[in-house]
Amino acid sequence: MNQNWEQLVKLARQAPPTTEAPVEMPLGFAGRVWARRKTEGTSSAGAWEFIALRVSVAAVALMVGALAFNAPDNEDLLALEVVMPESFVENLVLP
Amino acid sequence: MAEAPLDIAECLARVRRQDDAAARELIAHLYPQVLKIVRSHLPRRVAEEDLAQEVFMRVFAKLEQFRGEVPFEHWVSRIAVNTCLDQLRAQKARPELRWADLGEDEAAALDATIAQTESATPAEALGARELVEKLLSRLAPADQMVIRLLDLEERSVEEIHQLTGWNRSLIKVRAFRARAKLRKFLAVLSAQERS
């Protein structure tokens, strides 16, 4: 019973190759792909990643700025630790 | 006269400059390779042209990430395999397969399998292929992929690693577990046939 899967695969390999459509590119395929790329290219995942990175850098800068301006206490630092790595908070120089 | 092979590096540089002709040349060059992968892993109900188009869209979207550390064709193959995998994930699993649902050729293939027949009749062989497809469709997408590559396309673990990015141990473990499930499905079908 254990070898049944292997046996089934062995039988399946004996099946004649199916008549497949030739691997020929459909007429106009390349043009369609490239046209779609040009229209969708600007909203690609890469662009969104770039925007997300900019937004997160700005958010951290704002948070650090706000902390420096408001003379943070331990509670503020604790809150910051939730979103930032511990090492970052430890190295922060308090005013 | 034989056509000159495509200079990939030069073609990619032109594509990055939004050269229409270079993009078309690149697509034409890669099309047979992409279509072969798409056909091997084509999820049900998805047109091969649509899936091939999706692969090329991803290739162009990620083109800036290609660093030339591996041959471009390998990089494209990996994108094609992962696109197929995502399509498989988007599909719902088939309901449980019962012996009563098998076609005549599939039931004959199951008999031949149980009897450990060495050579199958053409009908049994075709039935076996259909039965394999039905059984595979009950597996998780990644399991389907690994069994197709290892058992049906007879690729090596190293090739699969190159193609999918999965580590070698993961491939072996995944294949081991997937085969165990397939054996279990077959055992259930055989038991139903006997009862």
PDB file of all heavy atoms in Angstrom, chain A residues 45-57:
ATOM      1  N   ALA A  45       4.079  48.027  -6.905  1.00  0.00           N
ATOM      2  CA  ALA A  45       4.379  47.759  -5.494  1.00  0.00           C
ATOM      3  C   ALA A  45       5.621  48.524  -5.054  1.00  0.00           C
ATOM      4  O   ALA A  45       5.695  49.026  -3.932  1.00  0.00           O
ATOM      5  CB  ALA A  45       4.588  46.274  -5.311  1.00  0.00           C
ATOM      6  N   GLY A  46       6.595  48.644  -5.952  1.00  0.00           N
ATOM      7  CA  GLY A  46       7.843  49.341  -5.625  1.00  0.00           C
ATOM      8  C   GLY A  46       7.578  50.778  -5.216  1.00  0.00           C
ATOM      9  O   GLY A  46       8.153  51.279  -4.246  1.00  0.00           O
ATOM     10  N   ALA A  47       6.686  51.420  -5.944  1.00  0.00           N
ATOM     11  CA  ALA A  47       6.372  52.816  -5.645  1.00  0.00           C
ATOM     12  C   ALA A  47       5.721  52.930  -4.271  1.00  0.00           C
ATOM     13  O   ALA A  47       6.019  53.834  -3.493  1.00  0.00           O
ATOM     14  CB  ALA A  47       5.432  53.358  -6.715  1.00  0.00           C
ATOM     15  N   TRP A  48       4.835  51.989  -3.963  1.00  0.00           N
ATOM     16  CA  TRP A  48       4.160  52.019  -2.668  1.00  0.00           C
ATOM     17  C   TRP A  48       5.137  51.778  -1.521  1.00  0.00           C
ATOM     18  O   TRP A  48       5.030  52.404  -0.469  1.00  0.00           O
ATOM     19  CB  TRP A  48       3.032  50.976  -2.621  1.00  0.00           C
ATOM     20  CG  TRP A  48       1.826  51.436  -3.381  1.00  0.00           C
ATOM     21  CD1 TRP A  48       1.316  50.911  -4.523  1.00  0.00           C
ATOM     22  CD2 TRP A  48       0.996  52.565  -3.075  1.00  0.00           C
ATOM     23  NE1 TRP A  48       0.221  51.624  -4.946  1.00  0.00           N
ATOM     24  CE2 TRP A  48       0.005  52.644  -4.080  1.00  0.00           C
ATOM     25  CE3 TRP A  48       0.990  53.525  -2.057  1.00  0.00           C
ATOM     26  CZ2 TRP A  48      -0.970  53.630  -4.086  1.00  0.00           C
ATOM     27  CZ3 TRP A  48       0.012  54.504  -2.061  1.00  0.00           C
ATOM     28  CH2 TRP A  48      -0.951  54.538  -3.074  1.00  0.00           C
ATOM     29  N   GLU A  49       6.083  50.854  -1.778  1.00  0.00           N
ATOM     30  CA  GLU A  49       7.093  50.593  -0.747  1.00  0.00           C
ATOM     31  C   GLU A  49       7.908  51.852  -0.468  1.00  0.00           C
ATOM     32  O   GLU A  49       8.221  52.176   0.670  1.00  0.00           O
ATOM     33  CB  GLU A  49       8.038  49.477  -1.211  1.00  0.00           C
ATOM     34  CG  GLU A  49       7.491  48.085  -0.941  1.00  0.00           C
ATOM     35  CD  GLU A  49       8.249  47.003  -1.672  1.00  0.00           C
ATOM     36  OE1 GLU A  49       9.416  47.239  -2.042  1.00  0.00           O
ATOM     37  OE2 GLU A  49       7.662  45.949  -1.872  1.00  0.00           O
ATOM     38  N   PHE A  50       8.239  52.570  -1.535  1.00  0.00           N
ATOM     39  CA  PHE A  50       9.014  53.795  -1.437  1.00  0.00           C
ATOM     40  C   PHE A  50       8.249  54.836  -0.598  1.00  0.00           C
ATOM     41  O   PHE A  50       8.781  55.453   0.317  1.00  0.00           O
ATOM     42  CB  PHE A  50       9.270  54.316  -2.859  1.00  0.00           C
ATOM     43  CG  PHE A  50      10.111  55.554  -2.918  1.00  0.00           C
ATOM     44  CD1 PHE A  50      11.479  55.475  -2.713  1.00  0.00           C
ATOM     45  CD2 PHE A  50       9.540  56.789  -3.171  1.00  0.00           C
ATOM     46  CE1 PHE A  50      12.272  56.606  -2.760  1.00  0.00           C
ATOM     47  CE2 PHE A  50      10.321  57.928  -3.222  1.00  0.00           C
ATOM     48  CZ  PHE A  50      11.690  57.841  -3.009  1.00  0.00           C
ATOM     49  N   ILE A  51       6.949  54.952  -0.878  1.00  0.00           N
ATOM     50  CA  ILE A  51       6.114  55.914  -0.143  1.00  0.00           C
ATOM     51  C   ILE A  51       6.018  55.497   1.330  1.00  0.00           C
ATOM     52  O   ILE A  51       6.154  56.325   2.232  1.00  0.00           O
ATOM     53  CB  ILE A  51       4.704  56.010  -0.785  1.00  0.00           C
ATOM     54  CG1 ILE A  51       4.823  56.667  -2.167  1.00  0.00           C
ATOM     55  CG2 ILE A  51       3.734  56.786   0.097  1.00  0.00           C
ATOM     56  CD1 ILE A  51       3.601  56.515  -3.044  1.00  0.00           C
ATOM     57  N   ALA A  52       5.795  54.199   1.563  1.00  0.00           N
ATOM     58  CA  ALA A  52       5.652  53.701   2.938  1.00  0.00           C
ATOM     59  C   ALA A  52       6.912  53.986   3.751  1.00  0.00           C
ATOM     60  O   ALA A  52       6.843  54.380   4.922  1.00  0.00           O
ATOM     61  CB  ALA A  52       5.358  52.204   2.918  1.00  0.00           C
ATOM     62  N   LEU A  53       8.076  53.819   3.122  1.00  0.00           N
ATOM     63  CA  LEU A  53       9.340  54.063   3.805  1.00  0.00           C
ATOM     64  C   LEU A  53       9.455  55.533   4.182  1.00  0.00           C
ATOM     65  O   LEU A  53       9.814  55.884   5.308  1.00  0.00           O
ATOM     66  CB  LEU A  53      10.511  53.645   2.894  1.00  0.00           C
ATOM     67  CG  LEU A  53      11.894  53.818   3.489  1.00  0.00           C
ATOM     68  CD1 LEU A  53      12.119  52.756   4.567  1.00  0.00           C
ATOM     69  CD2 LEU A  53      12.972  53.686   2.418  1.00  0.00           C
ATOM     70  N   ARG A  54       9.110  56.407   3.235  1.00  0.00           N
ATOM     71  CA  ARG A  54       9.166  57.857   3.494  1.00  0.00           C
ATOM     72  C   ARG A  54       8.247  58.240   4.659  1.00  0.00           C
ATOM     73  O   ARG A  54       8.600  59.018   5.524  1.00  0.00           O
ATOM     74  CB  ARG A  54       8.740  58.634   2.231  1.00  0.00           C
ATOM     75  CG  ARG A  54       9.780  58.641   1.132  1.00  0.00           C
ATOM     76  CD  ARG A  54      10.917  59.603   1.516  1.00  0.00           C
ATOM     77  NE  ARG A  54      11.883  59.750   0.466  1.00  0.00           N
ATOM     78  CZ  ARG A  54      12.916  58.923   0.261  1.00  0.00           C
ATOM     79  NH1 ARG A  54      13.070  57.884   1.043  1.00  0.00           N
ATOM     80  NH2 ARG A  54      13.766  59.134  -0.720  1.00  0.00           N
ATOM     81  N   VAL A  55       7.036  57.666   4.657  1.00  0.00           N
ATOM     82  CA  VAL A  55       6.049  57.984   5.698  1.00  0.00           C
ATOM     83  C   VAL A  55       6.564  57.534   7.059  1.00  0.00           C
ATOM     84  O   VAL A  55       6.467  58.272   8.048  1.00  0.00           O
ATOM     85  CB  VAL A  55       4.677  57.328   5.367  1.00  0.00           C
ATOM     86  CG1 VAL A  55       3.730  57.414   6.558  1.00  0.00           C
ATOM     87  CG2 VAL A  55       4.052  57.996   4.156  1.00  0.00           C
ATOM     88  N   SER A  56       7.158  56.320   7.134  1.00  0.00           N
ATOM     89  CA  SER A  56       7.603  55.833   8.437  1.00  0.00           C
ATOM     90  C   SER A  56       8.793  56.639   8.947  1.00  0.00           C
ATOM     91  O   SER A  56       8.897  56.903  10.144  1.00  0.00           O
ATOM     92  CB  SER A  56       7.918  54.341   8.391  1.00  0.00           C
ATOM     93  OG  SER A  56       8.755  54.061   7.322  1.00  0.00           O
ATOM     94  N   VAL A  57       9.684  57.067   8.047  1.00  0.00           N
ATOM     95  CA  VAL A  57      10.818  57.902   8.462  1.00  0.00           C
ATOM     96  C   VAL A  57      10.292  59.225   9.011  1.00  0.00           C
ATOM     97  O   VAL A  57      10.725  59.711  10.068  1.00  0.00           O
ATOM     98  CB  VAL A  57      11.800  58.131   7.272  1.00  0.00           C
ATOM     99  CG1 VAL A  57      12.784  59.243   7.585  1.00  0.00           C
ATOM    100  CG2 VAL A  57      12.541  56.844   6.946  1.00  0.00           C
TER     101      VAL A  57
END
